[in-house]
Short mmCIF file of all heavy atoms in Angstrom, two decimals:
data_model
loop_
_atom_site.label_atom_id
_atom_site.label_comp_id
_atom_site.label_asym_id
_atom_site.label_seq_id
_atom_site.Cartn_x
_atom_site.Cartn_y
_atom_site.Cartn_z
N HIS Z 134 110.39 103.62 110.33
CA HIS Z 134 110.84 102.46 109.59
C HIS Z 134 110.59 102.55 108.15
O HIS Z 134 109.89 103.39 107.66
CB HIS Z 134 110.11 101.06 110.17
CG HIS Z 134 108.65 101.21 109.77
ND1 HIS Z 134 107.67 101.92 110.48
CD2 HIS Z 134 107.90 100.63 108.78
CE1 HIS Z 134 106.45 101.75 109.92
NE2 HIS Z 134 106.57 101.01 108.76
N ASP Z 136 109.27 100.16 104.75
CA ASP Z 136 108.64 98.89 104.44
C ASP Z 136 109.53 98.31 103.40
O ASP Z 136 109.46 98.67 102.21
CB ASP Z 136 107.19 99.24 103.85
CG ASP Z 136 106.22 99.77 104.79
OD1 ASP Z 136 106.63 99.76 106.04
OD2 ASP Z 136 105.23 100.19 104.51
N HIS Z 190 108.92 106.23 107.56
CA HIS Z 190 107.66 106.65 108.11
C HIS Z 190 107.26 106.04 109.44
O HIS Z 190 107.85 104.98 109.75
CB HIS Z 190 106.44 106.35 107.05
CG HIS Z 190 106.34 105.00 106.73
ND1 HIS Z 190 107.07 104.31 105.83
CD2 HIS Z 190 105.52 103.99 107.26
CE1 HIS Z 190 106.81 103.00 105.71
NE2 HIS Z 190 105.79 102.83 106.58
N ARG Z 213 99.95 95.51 100.10
CA ARG Z 213 101.34 95.25 99.73
C ARG Z 213 101.49 94.16 98.58
O ARG Z 213 100.66 93.20 98.72
CB ARG Z 213 102.40 95.08 100.78
CG ARG Z 213 102.30 96.19 101.80
CD ARG Z 213 102.75 95.78 103.07
NE ARG Z 213 102.64 96.70 104.17
CZ ARG Z 213 103.55 96.99 105.06
NH1 ARG Z 213 104.69 96.49 105.05
NH2 ARG Z 213 103.32 97.95 106.02
FE1 FE2 X 302 105.20 100.81 107.24
#
Side-chain angles (χ1 to χ4, degrees):
H134 66 280
D136 293 349
H190 58 279
R213 306 159 184 223

